[in-house]
Amino acid sequence: MAKRLLTPETYRYLGGSGVKVSNICLGAMTFGQTGLPGNCDEAASHKILDRFVELGGNFIDTANIYGRGASETIVGNWLSRQERHKIVLASKVRMQMEDDNPNSGGLSRKSIMWSVEESLKRLKTDYIDLFQIHCWDWGTPLEETLRTLDDLVRAGKVRYIGGSNVSSWQFQKIIDYNKFHGLNKWITLQTQYSLLVRDPETEFTDVCKIEGLGLLPWSPLKGGWLSGKIKKGDKAAPEGSRVAWSEAMGDKVRLQSCPKFTPYANEGSIWDLLDKMTEIGKANGKSVAQVALRWLLQKEAVSSVIIGCKTVQQLEDNMGAGAGWELSTEQMSTLDNASAVEPLQVAAMIDRVNATRHRKDWTQ
Ligand SMILES: NC(=O)c1ccc[n+]([C@@H]2O[C@H](COP(=O)([O-])OP(=O)(O)OC[C@H]3O[C@@H](n4cnc5c(N)ncnc54)[C@H](OP(=O)(O)O)[C@@H]3O)[C@@H](O)[C@H]2O)c1
């Protein structure tokens, strides 16, 4: 039996729930070869899943849309051979599953009830631990969606609910609606968060702290950019990488988890950031990817970082961020400064006006 990297002592609470999860969550978006950016066939995916659990991981994130069901099917086939109660399984609903059927997507009661049953069949389980909306739906009244999610918890189909890809006002509105109507509360928010995407710090961290929810950062390596595999002066991303694939696909792919080569390569600041990450990695005996993931793990309100990988080697590298070392306060500041972005005007104003005022801890 291989040595566990993540022991139960390193597990964190899953947002505002009493469930303990590994601080590294295994994202299943790369499982299945039919989706975007599907990479791993079933055998390769199962090897990654086996190794993840061996190294101490217990938290897996998928979605009905990944490979239009392929990812959930692969996870389900694996899950059916596991002790189900030891795994914390997350999935999502929202994206359209059938081209000719508008009710196979969106967040209507009809769509959610159908989707969850389909997901349960593919996942070969009778409950999902964390069921999340994949993105805001302008076409469905919020009340309809939130009451349906609450019903799913009450029916035992899902244990907890959460969401992804909502703006900060939408997020607060959801929290308030659930609270004031006595519905089951959301426990987590999945949002893109990395050294190249700092918006959650102004948009969501405070809401999560004040309301008691956990952040689950997705695309923590910005689709591979923050792994250090692309070097200054490179004319293209490494062959076979997601970034190279995405660049080659041009306008056919606009997914944020599939960043292209040219825009970043032409942007000076990314190289300064990658230089700093490399230096800090060397000082700690860690890889660039591990520095990127560790930085997130030391950010406020983060429950678990959702990694994506194509190989067992990438998985092992990424899980090495989870325990046994920390970035110093100075190293965190260096990374914060090297990745800093211009704050929103209103955030800058609030900070300036409050600069001399002691900040009250709302969580007390
Ligand atoms: N809620 C949402 O809307 C949403 C959106 C996107 C993702 N997610 C979730 O977040 C998970 C992770 O997202 P992501 O796959 O975009 O994460 P990511 O960490 O930004 O990118 C993962 C990719 O980076 C490369 N990579 C990973 N580890 C590496 C390492 N140690 N060394 C070198 N290269 C490495 C691999 O691609 P190459 O080898 O091809 O370079 C891998 O497929 C998904 O599986 C999904 O569960 C959620």
Side-chain angles (χ1 to χ4, degrees):
M1 178 71 182
K3 196 167 171 293
R4 285 177 77 133
L5 276 171
L6 308 182
T7 56
E9 297 76 57
T10 65
Y11 281 15
R12 296 180 176 184
Y13 284 109
L14 181 58
S17 79
V19 173
K20 295 289 262 318
V21 289
S22 47
N23 59 8
I24 304 284
C25 170
L26 178 59
M29 191 175 71
T30 44
F31 296 174
Q33 292 170 302
T34 48
L36 296 178
N39 294 111
C40 303
D41 62 15
E42 179 141 356
S45 307
H46 284 186
K47 274 194 191 130
I48 292 173
L49 283 157
D50 285 342
R51 187 72 179 133
F52 176 67
V53 170
E54 227 173 46
L55 292 174
N58 75 337
F59 186 22
I60 296 163
D61 178 66
T62 183
N64 59 351
I65 195 64
Y66 296 162
R68 281 205 164 162
S71 170
E72 284 187 331
T73 300
I74 288 173
V75 172
N77 290 343
W78 174 85
L79 193 65
S80 64
R81 301 198 301 268
Q82 312 300 311
E83 293 177 276
R84 172 68 185 90
H85 70 288
K86 291 191 176 167
I87 302 296
V88 180
L89 177 65
S91 194
K92 314 185 193 78
V93 60
R94 161 69 177 91
M95 308 306 184
Q96 192 158 327
M97 295 292 284
E98 298 167 345
D99 290 336
D100 61 351
N101 176 11
N103 292 320
S104 66
L107 294 173
S108 68
R109 178 172 286 269
K110 179 170 174 64
S111 163
I112 294 177
M113 297 305 276
W114 173 78
S115 293
V116 77
E117 295 297 345
E118 293 296 299
S119 288
L120 289 171
K121 271 186 249 165
R122 287 189 289 264
L123 289 164
K124 296 195 168 52
T125 181
D126 51 12
Y127 68 96
I128 292 166
D129 293 288
L130 176 63
F131 196 57
Q132 308 153 107
I133 67 155
H134 210 146
C135 189
W136 182 259
D137 175 10
W138 277 117
T140 304
L142 186 59
E143 176 177 3
E144 180 175 340
T145 301
L146 297 182
R147 287 198 175 272
T148 307
L149 293 175
D150 180 65
D151 287 345
L152 289 179
V153 178
R154 291 175 201 267
K157 305 262 179 201
V158 312
R159 297 291 185 256
Y160 300 95
I161 45 180
S164 185
N165 305 316
V166 294
S167 68
S168 50
W169 73 261
Q170 291 163 350
F171 186 40
Q172 186 66 58
K173 195 173 172 72
I174 288 162
I175 290 167
D176 290 345
Y177 187 93
N178 285 334
K179 196 186 298 178
F180 297 133
H181 292 86
L183 305 187
N184 277 287
K185 58 179 271 191
W186 279 18
I187 60 165
T188 50
L189 179 72
Q190 259 195 50
T191 186
Q192 188 173 178
Y193 188 8
S194 71
L195 278 158
L196 286 171
V197 179
R198 302 276 306 269
D199 332 359
E201 290 169 19
T202 45
E203 297 299 288
F204 300 119
T205 302
D206 282 333
V207 185
C208 284
K209 280 169 65 189
I210 293 164
E211 302 289 352
L213 282 88
L215 279 179
L216 302 173
W218 60 258
S219 287
L221 300 182
K222 194 70 189 170
W225 267 102
L226 292 170
S227 70
K229 68 172 55 173
I230 305 170
K231 307 272 185 292
K232 194 172 184 172
D234 283 355
K235 296 277 172 281
E239 206 175 318
S241 66
R242 186 190 302 179
V243 177
W245 170 83
S246 178
E247 180 79 9
M249 295 293 279
D251 277 351
K252 276 187 241 155
V253 170
R254 289 174 183 274
L255 296 182
Q256 297 199 21
S257 47
C258 300
K260 302 197 185 304
F261 178 77
T262 316
Y264 281 100
N266 291 340
E267 198 185 283
S269 59
I270 194 167
W271 305 116
D272 298 337
L273 171 62
L274 284 167
D275 283 349
K276 293 274 177 339
M277 292 171 73
T278 308
E279 269 169 39
I280 290 173
K282 278 194 185 134
N284 290 277
K286 300 292 168 189
S287 68
V288 175
Q290 288 172 341
V291 171
L293 300 171
R294 188 71 232 169
W295 175 84
L296 277 169
L297 284 167
Q298 290 179 218
K299 285 290 177 182
E300 290 182 306
V302 170
S303 293
S304 189
V305 174
I306 314 176
I307 59 162
C309 42
K310 270 186 355 192
T311 62
V312 169
Q313 200 184 0
Q314 289 179 350
L315 172 85
E316 289 173 349
D317 184 22
N318 295 346
M319 287 192 75
W325 67 292
E326 285 202 346
L327 291 164
S328 66
T329 310
E330 198 190 335
Q331 289 170 336
M332 286 297 286
S333 305
T334 303
L335 293 169
D336 282 345
N337 293 336
S339 61
V341 284
E342 198 62 37
L344 293 175
Q345 180 276 328
V346 66
M349 168 115 186
I350 292 168
D351 279 351
R352 198 173 64 247
V353 173
N354 283 273
T356 54
R357 202 167 151 79
H358 176 69
R359 191 178 163 138
K360 186 169 181 287
D361 185 355
W362 289 41
T363 57
Q364 283 174 354

